[in-house]
Amino acid sequence: MIRKRSERFKPIHNLAQQSEDVAAQMLGKIQRELSSHHLKLSELMKYYQDYTTRFNQQAEKGMSAAQVQSYQKFISQIEVAKTEQKKHISRTSEACDTSRANWTVERQKTQVLEKVKSRYQKQEQQIHNRQEQRLSDEHVAN
């Protein structure tokens, strides 16, 4: 039995759909990672603000040189952590853009193949309808 074009085309469409699904999963993973980096940066900024506020309050009351140095060293470490987190965000954002572009390409491929498959199915249905009509006409003529 000869398979219909739409049936022969189905594995190609399925592969495209799988590629799109993989690209979508990757995009989702990177987006979650980006959100996590933004959350960490937000926490670091809040921690930095809280710690500098505490430092200022303690400085008004009076602090030893060792305490000032300790506070400044820790604030400096938070600043370094913030800078590093911003770099993570930048890299992850670029990866997210690349992944989104990849998903878009895969989605477009799938949509094109869906249209082709639909067109094949429509053509097959039209052929089937004409055959049915011809058989019906022959039956009525006899």
Side-chain angles (χ1 to χ4, degrees), residues 91-106:
R91 284 191 300 269
T92 306
S93 183
E94 289 174 12
C96 191
D97 292 343
T98 300
S99 182
R100 184 177 294 108
N102 182 43
W103 172 78
T104 300
V105 167
E106 294 301 324

Side-chain angles (χ1 to χ4, degrees), residues 81-92:
K82 283 177 16 182
T83 301
E84 287 301 312
Q85 196 61 34
K86 288 176 183 177
K87 289 177 184 177
H88 285 305
I89 288 172
S90 178
R91 284 191 300 269
T92 306

Side-chain angles (χ1 to χ4, degrees), residues 30-110:
I30 293 171
Q31 286 175 329
R32 286 187 298 277
E33 194 175 313
L34 183 59
S35 291
S36 173
H37 287 315
H38 277 290
L39 180 62
K40 287 177 186 174
L41 178 61
S42 176
E43 290 170 353
L44 282 169
M45 291 174 78
K46 184 177 180 340
Y47 196 57
Y48 176 83
Q49 183 63 39
D50 291 347
Y51 212 78
T52 54
T53 299
R54 256 190 275 151
F55 171 72
N56 290 335
Q57 290 171 347
Q58 286 287 30
E60 287 177 5
K61 295 177 184 175
M63 299 172 64
S64 70
Q67 288 174 315
V68 169
Q69 189 176 18
S70 175
Y71 265 99
Q72 288 176 337
K73 181 179 177 186
F74 191 69
I75 289 172
S76 176
Q77 289 174 340
I78 296 172
E79 288 174 340
V80 169
K82 283 177 16 182
T83 301
E84 287 301 312
Q85 196 61 34
K86 288 176 183 177
K87 289 177 184 177
H88 285 305
I89 288 172
S90 178
R91 284 191 300 269
T92 306
S93 183
E94 289 174 12
C96 191
D97 292 343
T98 300
S99 182
R100 184 177 294 108
N102 182 43
W103 172 78
T104 300
V105 167
E106 294 301 324
R107 179 67 189 140
Q108 289 170 344
K109 287 179 189 177
T110 301

